[in-house]
Amino acid sequence: MSPGRQRFSGRAAIVGVGSSAFSRDSGTTVMDLAATAVSEALADAGLAPGDVDGILTYHENDSVGAWAIARALGAGALRWHNDITGGGSQCASILADAAMAIDNGLATRVVVVRALNGRSGTRMGQIATLPDDDARQFTLPFGLAGPPHRFALTCRIFLERAGLDEDDLAAVAVHARACASRNPRALRREPMTVADHHASRTIASPLRLLDCCQESDGACALVVTATADRPTTRPAAAIHAVARVAGPGAGSLDTEEDLGAIFSSYLAPDLYANAGMTPADVELAVLYDPYTFVVLAQLADLGFCAAGEAGDFVREERLPLNPHGGLLSEAHVHGLNGVVEAVRQLRGEAGPRQHGSPSVALCTGFGGTMGSAAVLTAA
């Protein structure tokens, strides 16, 4: 399938962001996490629950729906709502859904939320085969029990093609942890070295424990409005362009054309065409990082460097990258925490981890050969 093309040129903007605390055992319900994040985002935007007329969520049967959130918050009448099936691949493209609703007059103030007890509740690696999941019945008997086993295959092919090794994987993990050390919300802030990475146990070769993202409890929320209808004079993050793709085979091992490719290899040309930009225009990259190699692959696919230079690109910090610590060290909220970080950076509100005054940020969402990306600009 070809990437979905959508250029908004800043007509809609993220005007509020919020998060619950991140943890490995929240001790509360997913609804409470969602309500906390949404309440914080509304307060950040200067809005009340009754001002909301659109709610969008994405989840994998591990969360609460838009209607339930509206009831819990005491929101007004909803003019637009949707519960989208999917995980990390949705975290950038859901911005297009919100912007399109606003552009088409279906809603005026839309809340986007992702909430889950991803460690103490439903865990990704323990999801049972679904009745209509035809592909998994062929992979489970061979030990592909969860995402790390599946993407270890892609990682091995990528490393071999690029001429990279475990030191390059370690560079991503060490960088993420160094960024997280400046983030009080991050779950993993303790120092990490390359030696620490190499000493961590193997999960699915070549992926080690410290190559893999965390399982976390938490929630994040955004408030999206028309840029011209911003509720306050505070800085916002305009939704400039969004692209989404499902590569050949749509993420199924038995039908994919290239097991060494991920979504960014199919999406990059349309992303930059939609945005009217080149990689040189990007001042901040918030790349979905479920595994260290996914960052390296995206850096190459998105035109920031050659594949064989990706490890050095990270080590030399040639571009501000995942200043919050990413899924690897901050938390796993299926990427919406990365969008929250991009907004804070564009608004100059990231505190000790602020990277200058960026005006263009790139956010991505990964689901194998399925994924999405969004270009946000300071507004």
Side-chain angles (χ1 to χ4, degrees), residues 14 21 125 166 203 237 249-250 266 311 351 360 365 368-369:
I14 302 168
E166 64 176 358
I203 301 299
Y266 303 104
V360 179
T369 56

Side-chain angles (χ1 to χ4, degrees), residues 37 48 223 318:
V223 179
R318 299 180 196 173

Side-chain angles (χ1 to χ4, degrees), residues 1 5 12 32 41 45-46 49 75 100 171 180 185 193 211 230 234 249 279 293:
M1 300 180 193
R5 295 192 172 195
D32 284 344
M100 285 189 287
R185 287 182 180 268
T193 66
D211 288 309
R230 288 157 59 178
R234 293 185 63 207
F293 87 92

Side-chain angles (χ1 to χ4, degrees), residues 20 109 137 173 178 182 268 305-306 331 348 376:
S20 72
R109 291 168 177 175
Q137 65 180 308
R182 300 184 288 273
C305 62
L376 307 179

Side-chain angles (χ1 to χ4, degrees), residues 17-84:
V17 295
S19 305
S20 72
F22 302 140
S23 71
R24 290 167 62 86
D25 186 359
S26 69
T28 190
T29 65
V30 175
M31 176 60 79
D32 284 344
L33 295 173
T36 297
V38 173
S39 296
E40 184 176 295
L42 288 172
D44 188 48
L47 295 172
D51 297 321
V52 174
D53 60 2
I55 296 180
L56 301 177
T57 71
Y58 64 102
H59 56 80
E60 296 187 324
N61 299 315
D62 57 0
S63 192
V64 289
W67 287 0
I69 294 171
R71 286 195 298 267
L73 290 172
L78 296 185
R79 298 173 59 207
W80 190 253
H81 57 86
N82 201 2
D83 296 295
I84 299 172

Side-chain angles (χ1 to χ4, degrees), residues 18-22 30 33-37 113-116 217-221 333 336:
S19 305
S20 72
F22 302 140
V30 175
L33 295 173
T36 297
V113 61
R114 175 68 170 116
L116 72 165
D217 296 357
C220 291
V333 195
L336 205 60

Side-chain angles (χ1 to χ4, degrees), residues 15-16 42-47 109 225 227 229-236 347:
V15 298
L42 288 172
D44 188 48
L47 295 172
R109 291 168 177 175
T225 72
T227 305
D229 187 36
R230 288 157 59 178
T232 72
T233 58
R234 293 185 63 207
R347 298 198 309 194

